[in-house]
């Protein structure tokens, strides 16, 4: 006699759904930080050790920094191609390929013995991250769960806000003694554990997902073409960004970054009305705003904190404000489930716009000289900037993804990281120009110059946020108008078919009746 306990099919179905949802959540929670942690470049912190190990001259260190900065350009180039592959083939296979490439780059980091090898390692890491990010989004989208999509959006914002402080903690600034400093290879791959955890999570997700019909419908040819459309401007922008790092003046680099943003916005608005890549709430424009106001705001702030802590013999970057900002991003994303999408997007923009004046109002003495080294008052001022910024970005991004198609979400993701690179070019160029103008002698003067450039960047970001909000409303209205036009056309076609069927029911053979009448009249009747 069998001892197996009978389980109702509905209960088995609910249990399988809960297990698959849990696997998707764990997968997203590990894949997002593993991918975004490839963006920060902390090679400048171990430059003395790297120069001694590679036998570089003083002028060759800039070439090393250019090579190790290839991860972000490689990532933004890989995202559009991986988005097409994740819709055309199995998203799980694409995610596995991206993670394997990421792990290969991390594993090869310790064996890099020249500047080209270091650049190749960083480019491989960025390409792997760019492959796995859209694949993870498709795997989440296959669950058809608004809560999971919101958590993915909040997790992405959290990773963008916390990536640089975590990287600076793992690779602290060197004291100038190459022999006692950390191994410079750590800057190429600060830690392998997030990527290893992501591989385990994807394997667990494959086990828990089961054999259900989770595949999304195959994209049409026009949708595949539109998904790969951002590749051309992204490739040009990435090339200019790499070339601009080779001896260009701060003003020239600033022009490259500032001109990239209108180009990205024009691309988002041009394709925003299409149903396959245009979300009803302007998710492509919100992705641009998220990329511009998360990593480019948090990363330089973490760098300033590292400089301040180093000048005062501190332990490193204070992680509490950035952790609270990440938690606020996830909370804001979950709050979007309770709000109307359009209201959630506008509220998110309002929170981000309100956060930037707090950063501008933070005095140099109060917020940087005291707080960035770990003071309680300074950490409170950092929270005043970062927490509403994270909450607003998470709320706006999650709300904009509501009712959007997978193609629209992937198209927006392809525009997010070019916006990150553009923001980084702008803020670093402003800080470099302030350093050239101030000509600092002491570390305190250098910190003040860097803070001055950062404050100008916050003012510029606040100014850019207003037209981005207006463009989001415009894109949503355009998508809504085209959706209503398509619905009206479908209704007209349905009405025409119904009228034809009604006419056929009243007179089933009008053609036959006409033929009989003509035959009765004879051949000469015409």
């Amino acid at each position: 006699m069998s001892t197996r306990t009978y389980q109702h099919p509905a209960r088995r179905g609910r249990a399988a759904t809960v297990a698959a949802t849990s696997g998707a959540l764990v997968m997203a929670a590990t894949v997002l930080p593993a991918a975004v942690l490839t963006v920060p470049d902390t090679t400048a912190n171990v430059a003395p050790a790297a120069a001694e190990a590679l036998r570089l001259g003083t002028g060759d260190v800039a070439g090393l920094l250019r090579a190790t900065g290839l991860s972000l350009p490689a990532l933004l180039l890989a995202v559009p191609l991986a988005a097409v592959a994740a819709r055309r083939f199995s998203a799980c296979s694409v995610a596995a390929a991206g993670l394997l490439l990421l792990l290969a780059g991390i594993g090869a980091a310790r064996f890099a013995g020249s500047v080209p090898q270091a650049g190749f390692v960083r480019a491989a890491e960025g390409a792997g991250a760019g492959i796995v990010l859209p694949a993870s989004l498709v795997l989440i989208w296959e669950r058809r769960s608004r809560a999971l999509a919101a958590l993915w959006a909040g997790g992405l914002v959290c990773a963008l806000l916390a990536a640089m402080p975590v990287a600076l903690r793992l690779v602290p600034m060197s004291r100038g003694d190459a022999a006692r400093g950390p191994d410079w290879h750590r800057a190429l791959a600060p830690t392998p554990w997030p990527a290893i955890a992501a591989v385990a999570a994807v394997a667990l997700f494959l086990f828990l997902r089961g054999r259900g019909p989770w595949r999304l419908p195959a994209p049409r040819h026009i949708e595949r073409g539109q998904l790969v459309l951002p590749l051309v401007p992204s490739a040009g922008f990435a090339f200019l960004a790499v070339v601009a790092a080779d001896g260009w003046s701060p003003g020239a680099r600033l022009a490259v970054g500032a001109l990239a943003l209108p180009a990205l916005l024009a691309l988002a608005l041009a394709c925003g009305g299409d149903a396959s890549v245009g979300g009803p709430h302007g998710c492509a424009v919100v992705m641009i705003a998220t990329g511009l106001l998360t990593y480019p705001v948090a990363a330089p702030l973490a760098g300033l904190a590292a400089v301040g802590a180093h000048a005062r013999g501190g332990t490193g970057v204070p992680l509490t404000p950035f952790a609270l900002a990440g938690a606020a991003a996830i909370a804001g994303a979950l709050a979007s489930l309770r709000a109307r999408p359009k209201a959630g997007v506008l509220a998110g923009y309002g929170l981000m716009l309100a956060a930037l004046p707090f950063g501008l109002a933070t005095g140099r003495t109060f917020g940087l000289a005291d707080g960035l080294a770990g003071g309680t008052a300074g950490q409170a001022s950092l929270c005043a900037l970062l927490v509403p910024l994270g909450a607003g970005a998470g709320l706006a991004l999650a709300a904009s993804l509501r009712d959007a198609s997978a193609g629209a979400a992937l198209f927006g993701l392809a525009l997010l990281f070019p916006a990150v690179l553009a923001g980084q070019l702008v803020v670093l160029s402003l800080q470099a120009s302030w350093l050239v103008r101030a000509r600092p002698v002491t570390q305190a003067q250098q910190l003040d110059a860097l803070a001055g450039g950062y404050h100008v960047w916050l003012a510029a970001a606040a100014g850019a946020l207003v037209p981005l909000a207006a463009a989001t409303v415009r894109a949503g209205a355009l998508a809504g108008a085209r959706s209503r036009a398509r619905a009206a056309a479908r209704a007209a076609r349905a009405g025409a078919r119904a009228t034809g069927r009604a006419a056929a029911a009243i007179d089933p053979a009008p053609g036959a009746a006409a033929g009989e009448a003509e035959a009765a009249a004879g051949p000469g009747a015409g």
Side-chain angles (χ1 to χ4, degrees), residues 148-176:
L148 278 179
L151 285 172
W152 185 92
L156 178 61
V157 174
C158 177
L160 289 168
L161 290 172
M164 181 57 86
V166 171
L168 290 173
R169 277 281 188 165
L170 294 171
V171 188
M173 295 185 67
S174 173
R175 294 290 175 181

Side-chain angles (χ1 to χ4, degrees), residues 38 41 43 54 63-75 98 100-129 184-185 187-189 242:
T38 64
D41 182 17
T43 309
L54 298 178
L64 175 64
L65 295 178
R66 285 194 301 272
T68 56
L70 291 176
S71 59
L72 182 55
L75 189 153
L100 289 177
L101 181 58
L102 176 58
L103 277 176
I106 293 174
R110 66 178 62 185
F111 303 107
S114 65
V115 172
Q117 290 176 5
F120 178 79
V121 164
R122 292 288 289 163
E125 292 174 0
W184 74 274
H185 292 96
L188 302 180
V242 173

Side-chain angles (χ1 to χ4, degrees), residues 15 41 123 137 217 225 324 408 457 472 525:
D41 182 17
L137 177 58
L324 291 176
W457 156 241
T472 302

